[in-house]
Amino acid sequence: EAGVTQSPTHLIKTRGQQATLRCSPISGHTSVYWYQQALGLGLQFLLWYDEGEERNRGNFPPRFSGRQFPNYSSELNVNALELEDSALYLCASSFFPGLEAFFGQGTRLTVV
Amino acid sequence: GNSVTQMEGPVTLSEEAFLTINCTYTATGYPSLFWYVQYPGEGLQLLLKATKADDKGSNKGFEATYRKETTSFHLEKGSVQVSDSAVYFCALKEGSGGSNYKLTFGKGTLLTVNP
């Protein structure tokens, strides 16, 4: 069974541009979570989607947004990129809200 | 709000040494507790978990006991191997009844095991 897949693996953008990151959950999983892993800051919760709806949001500015599609895949958009947005972005999915979350290998976003 | 504090690394041990990584938490209610491991260049993998007080999670020789009285969930292994070299994250899960689920993580502890 395929795990959580994220694309692209690496992404390089310039300041002010927009970045789009994608996540495909494990088949049958309806919940998708996004986390930011910035150097020295650990893992910070970004967003939680379930059944196509945004259920919870971390302490991030509105330029971080996303959506979940009918097939439960998800997209994270970061607008007006800033240098400090450079981080590893991890997506996780679970079969049901609150059950064990399985993580993908992440997208490394570098803003120059 | 809820928070997780784990010992700062890096931790460097020789093979077969005893490992302890301390983790304490602050939470309202009764969270579930987790240890995740991140091997170099990879995403996070769940190592073990405990869902209520006095539960002991165990996997691959690692153990951690949910201590409500000390709000702790320390990770231990009796004899580490070079292959255990990784970053270890302590985490708690908030939320119940279908709302506000999220994981709150500690900052991670880098473990290096030398042969």
Side-chain angles (χ1 to χ4, degrees):
Chain A
E1 178 183 302
V4 177
T5 57
Q6 294 185 242
S7 63
T9 306
H10 294 86
L11 189 58
I12 300 175
K13 294 284 187 179
T14 55
R15 196 168 51 181
Q17 285 189 313
Q18 178 195 35
T20 299
L21 289 65
R22 296 180 175 84
C23 173
S24 293
I26 292 171
S27 178
H29 287 194
T30 63
S31 277
V32 170
Y33 312 81
W34 286 95
Y35 291 85
Q36 182 195 65
Q37 187 177 16
L39 198 62
L41 295 178
L43 282 138
Q44 305 292 320
F45 168 73
L46 263 166
L47 289 158
W48 168 39
Y49 293 95
D50 183 63
E51 297 284 359
E53 301 278 337
E54 182 181 303
R55 301 295 187 184
N56 199 4
R57 183 181 180 86
N59 188 25
F60 281 83
R63 58 191 186 83
F64 287 83
S65 65
R67 53 182 170 166
Q68 187 178 35
F69 299 98
N71 67 354
Y72 303 115
S73 66
S74 177
E75 199 173 83
L76 174 68
N77 295 294
V78 188
N79 293 320
L81 284 165
E82 300 179 2
L83 296 178
E84 51 264 35
D85 296 333
S86 295
L88 180 67
Y89 289 83
L90 291 167
C91 171
S93 73
S94 65
F95 177 72
F96 190 78
L99 294 183
E100 178 184 344
F102 295 81
F103 283 78
Q105 296 203 358
T107 293
R108 173 74 61 185
L109 173 64
T110 302
V111 183
V112 297
Chain B
N2 297 347
S3 66
V4 174
T5 303
Q6 61 181 103
M7 66 185 283
E8 294 189 20
V11 174
T12 302
L13 296 172
S14 298
E15 206 164 25
E16 299 183 3
F18 184 84
L19 169 71
T20 300
I21 301 178
N22 290 336
C23 172
T24 57
Y25 67 91
T26 302
T28 54
Y30 303 95
S32 295
L33 301 173
F34 304 83
W35 278 100
Y36 281 84
V37 59
Q38 186 175 33
Y39 297 103
E42 299 186 10
L44 270 68
Q45 299 176 26
L46 178 64
L47 182 59
L48 52 84
K49 65 181 179 182
T51 58
K52 61 183 188 296
D54 299 325
D55 267 2
K56 177 187 282 189
S58 61
N59 186 25
K60 298 181 181 180
F62 291 88
E63 292 183 341
T65 301
Y66 189 155
R67 301 284 188 202
K68 191 170 184 295
E69 64 277 12
T70 54
T71 62
S72 64
F73 192 56
H74 304 321
L75 182 69
E76 296 182 337
K77 186 174 185 182
S79 176
V80 293
Q81 305 300 311
V82 172
S83 58
D84 294 326
S85 298
V87 181
Y88 292 81
F89 292 91
C90 184
L92 67 82
K93 187 185 72 175
E94 307 168 47
S96 63
S99 66
N100 294 328
Y101 286 113
K102 67 175 183 178
L103 287 165
T104 299
F105 287 89
K107 292 197 172 182
T109 302
L110 173 63
L111 170 66
T112 301
V113 181
N114 295 318

